[in-house]
Amino acid sequence: MKVRTAIGMVMAGSGLLALQAVPALAAGGDHTVTMTEHQHGTWTEQGDTDFCTNELITPTITGNSVFHETYFPAGDEVWGTFTTEGTGSFLQPSSGLTFSGRVTVWGNFNVNEKNSNDTFTATFKLSAVDGDGVTHYETGHQVFHVGYNAIDPINPIVTVEKMNVTCS
């Protein structure tokens, strides 16, 4: 999964939550609202890049996703988290090999009047066997975190991005 895709997922989740919270804020009230959504099935990710060859790929994921959000309609706090896990596969154009294996993606966001943060992690372990019986691996772990404060809500006060990939 590309870094910008991962960041986009976290930001899209934050934006979606904000849009969903608007009617509740207009309705008033001071109780906590919590929503959880589950998704099961198969989907494709268009325009991703194979970390080992830098080629464009279209991974297919079969798995489960859970998105959870909580907010106070009369307040300024909102937080949410999502987890996607399952099996993934893609065709590597240069080798013609189909890699498959486990994929896990997790993210969260927290917002209040003084600060906000987003965190994202992704882990994958994929393999393919060539015509000679040799197993090839693509494994990796990505972490992305960004935090903001009320003094400067545009520019992050902390940003961490780390990616480890092994190709063999």
Side-chain angles (χ1 to χ4, degrees), residues 10 13 16 24 30 56 58-59 72 76 79 87 109 116 133 146 150 154 168:
V10 171
L16 176 63
D30 57 0
L56 286 178
T58 304
F72 297 99
D76 64 349
W79 59 95
T87 58
F109 62 92
S116 66
V146 61
I154 304 296
S168 62

Side-chain angles (χ1 to χ4, degrees), residues 53-76:
T53 64
N54 230 9
E55 298 172 292
L56 286 178
I57 57 171
T58 304
T60 298
I61 311 293
T62 300
N64 304 296
S65 292
V66 177
F67 181 75
H68 180 79
E69 57 189 301
T70 301
Y71 61 92
F72 297 99
D76 64 349

Side-chain angles (χ1 to χ4, degrees), residues 38-45 59-66 84-88 102:
H38 297 266
Q39 177 183 1
H40 311 284
T42 300
W43 62 93
T44 59
E45 298 286 336
T60 298
I61 311 293
T62 300
N64 304 296
S65 292
V66 177
T84 298
E85 64 80 29
T87 58
R102 298 292 303 166

Side-chain angles (χ1 to χ4, degrees), residues 42-53:
T42 300
W43 62 93
T44 59
E45 298 286 336
Q46 301 291 323
D48 276 358
T49 302
D50 182 344
F51 288 114
C52 293
T53 64

